[in-house]
Amino acid sequence: MLNSKRLHYIDVLNCIAIFFVLVLHSSQLAFSGNANYSNYITALVLQSLCIPAVYIFFMNSGATLLDYRKKYSTKTFLIKRFKRVVIPFFVWSIIYYLYDIKHRAYPGPSLHPNPSITDFINSFASNNINNLFWFFYTIIALYLVAPIFSVLVDEHKKTLFAIVIANFIFIDCFTYISKLTGLKINNDYLTQPLLTSDFLGFFIIGYLIKENFFNRKGENWLIIIGMVTLMLSIINDLTLKKVHMLNNIGNFLYSIALYLLVKRIVEFLYKYKSYQFKLFGILSGVSLGIYIIHPIFYEAIYKYVFHVTPDNWPKFVQLMNNPYEIFLVPMVSYIILSIVIILLKKNKFVRMIIP
């Protein structure tokens, strides 16, 4: 029987992940600006620090779902995932498609000046409604292959780890070597048969970490190596990416290191009753809702507080250089949206589309 004890570190990581998402989307100056902007390097560093955001969601999903067979059948698993993810995904794709006709939020939603059913179908099939919804396309693919890998959880954890290593080599290592050397290494045929491309490794490693697959020494090395890759990425940012060897360092190892550190800290605090995690449990439940709704909320802040919209792009880029936009917008958004979603989810219908 599966241990039903709540994993508090999962709650904390969910809260960290969604806040990281908000920071990533308030520091878009990293992609739209240049060194002439006073906060450009700040934005670059924030991107490096917060990049594990969605990867943490994938790791948490693997940790909580890969051994689903201990709780219920594959049919029940797929039905539950359909209700929790596919239905909200489709409903909000329709909402954003209609929203996109007259509004312009950034980042995420795409303009649709000539709406039609055909255009919606094409846009939905190509993630051209709200490109932040790439998360849904990926997580649904992971759910579809979960029944295949779930049969390995009891007696074949080493095989699962081998899959993680292969995924790391074919994705992170090959990509790094390709960009460092200029060689055109095409790894598409190595990743696509797994249906999940870059992200299967995150899904599986989350489960292995939950199961304490690595001994203490192994975890220590993963933390050290991951934090070294973070420091190299930050050095790369501070030097404006002039050190070619530091460019394109993957985020896999840093994401694992952060995940392990948070897990250790939370478990230590819980063990010695140093902190109660009930609040994190509540806030964890609003993470997906915040992910879905925050582009609309960001647009409202930009429009009614800063009086700027992406339609005036030069002025909007100036706004992205504003430290209030970079630092305060994600904090304010997290607080307000958490309260709003908690209240909204008291309604049964709302819970169907904001799980």
Side-chain angles (χ1 to χ4, degrees):
M1 184 70 178
L2 187 67
N3 188 353
S4 60
K5 183 179 178 181
R6 190 174 186 92
L7 300 174
H8 296 289
Y9 77 89
I10 296 285
D11 292 332
V12 174
L13 282 163
N14 266 333
C15 296
I16 291 172
I18 192 58
F19 184 72
F20 276 11
V21 166
L22 295 174
V23 174
L24 288 174
H25 296 159
S26 70
S27 56
Q28 291 290 297
L29 183 70
F31 307 105
S32 303
N34 54 57
N36 294 323
Y37 290 91
S38 58
N39 286 301
Y40 178 66
I41 291 179
T42 299
L44 290 176
V45 172
L46 286 174
Q47 289 288 319
S48 293
L49 285 171
C50 297
I51 199 62
V54 178
Y55 306 144
I56 291 174
F57 288 135
F58 294 148
M59 294 167 79
N60 279 350
S61 293
T64 55
L65 296 175
L66 195 55
D67 57 359
Y68 73 85
R69 292 177 186 270
K70 297 179 180 179
K71 293 186 290 185
Y72 37 66
S73 67
T74 295
K75 179 181 178 181
T76 301
F77 166 75
L78 292 174
I79 290 173
K80 283 178 174 288
R81 294 303 98 198
F82 183 84
K83 290 179 179 178
R84 177 165 174 78
V85 173
V86 178
I87 291 176
F89 171 41
F90 184 71
V91 170
W92 280 97
S93 292
I94 294 173
I95 292 172
Y96 268 106
Y97 185 82
L98 298 174
Y99 174 87
D100 293 345
I101 294 172
K102 292 186 178 180
H103 295 267
R104 188 179 179 193
Y106 182 85
S110 306
L111 289 174
H112 294 279
N114 300 303
S116 67
I117 294 177
T118 301
D119 183 60
F120 171 79
I121 294 172
N122 289 333
S123 299
F124 183 75
S126 59
N127 188 27
N128 193 35
I129 295 175
N130 180 347
N131 58 46
L132 302 183
F133 281 5
W134 70 271
F135 164 79
F136 286 107
Y137 294 89
T138 302
I139 200 68
I140 290 170
L142 288 169
Y143 293 158
L144 291 175
V145 298
I148 299 172
F149 297 102
S150 65
V151 299
L152 302 174
V153 300
D154 288 328
E155 299 179 3
H156 301 282
K157 290 184 177 64
K158 290 184 179 179
T159 302
L160 287 173
F161 183 51
I163 295 170
V164 172
I165 294 174
N167 191 264
F168 173 69
I169 292 172
F170 294 143
I171 302 299
D172 287 64
C173 294
F174 277 23
T175 300
Y176 176 74
I177 293 171
S178 175
K179 293 182 178 180
L180 181 66
T181 61
L183 297 174
K184 295 182 179 180
I185 302 175
N186 188 344
N187 62 356
D188 290 345
Y189 299 110
L190 297 172
T191 59
Q192 291 309 316
L194 293 177
L195 300 177
T196 49
S197 186
D198 303 30
F199 307 104
L200 180 64
F202 291 103
F203 192 70
I204 295 176
I205 199 71
Y207 169 75
L208 293 176
I209 290 173
K210 185 200 75 171
E211 293 294 304
N212 298 311
F213 176 79
F214 306 101
N215 59 32
R216 193 74 171 182
K217 184 178 180 180
E219 286 188 354
N220 290 340
W221 275 112
L222 285 171
I223 291 171
I224 291 169
I225 295 171
M227 287 302 159
V228 167
T229 64
L230 170 63
M231 294 305 299
L232 293 175
S233 295
I234 292 176
I235 292 171
N236 191 31
D237 297 331
L238 296 176
T239 57
L240 296 174
K241 305 186 184 298
K242 293 178 181 178
V243 183
H244 185 59
M245 187 169 290
L246 301 184
N247 291 341
N248 308 303
I249 293 176
N251 308 303
F252 188 63
L253 295 173
Y254 165 44
S255 299
I256 293 174
L258 178 63
Y259 198 91
L260 285 168
L261 277 173
V262 173
K263 180 176 182 288
R264 280 190 182 185
I265 293 170
V266 171
E267 289 180 341
F268 175 83
L269 293 175
Y270 185 76
K271 180 179 179 180
Y272 292 100
K273 307 298 181 183
S274 301
Y275 190 80
Q276 296 297 318
F277 292 92
K278 184 176 180 180
L279 178 61
F280 284 102
I282 296 171
L283 293 176
S284 175
V286 304
S287 296
L288 185 55
I290 293 176
Y291 190 92
I292 291 170
I293 294 174
H294 80 272
I296 296 174
F297 190 75
Y298 269 32
E299 189 209 13
I301 291 179
Y302 296 151
K303 185 174 182 178
Y304 297 109
V305 176
F306 294 104
H307 306 292
V308 180
T309 69
D311 294 313
N312 187 342
W313 187 250
K315 193 174 180 180
F316 191 77
V317 175
Q318 291 294 331
L319 169 63
M320 285 192 278
N321 189 49
N322 187 326
Y324 292 111
E325 190 273 338
I326 295 173
F327 293 105
L328 285 184
V329 167
M331 288 189 284
V332 170
S333 298
Y334 186 80
I335 293 170
I336 294 178
L337 286 176
S338 294
I339 295 171
V340 169
I341 292 171
I342 288 171
L343 294 175
L344 287 175
K345 288 180 71 171
K346 293 181 181 295
N347 180 278
K348 183 177 179 179
F349 173 75
V350 172
R351 288 199 299 272
M352 292 176 62
I353 63 172
I354 305 181

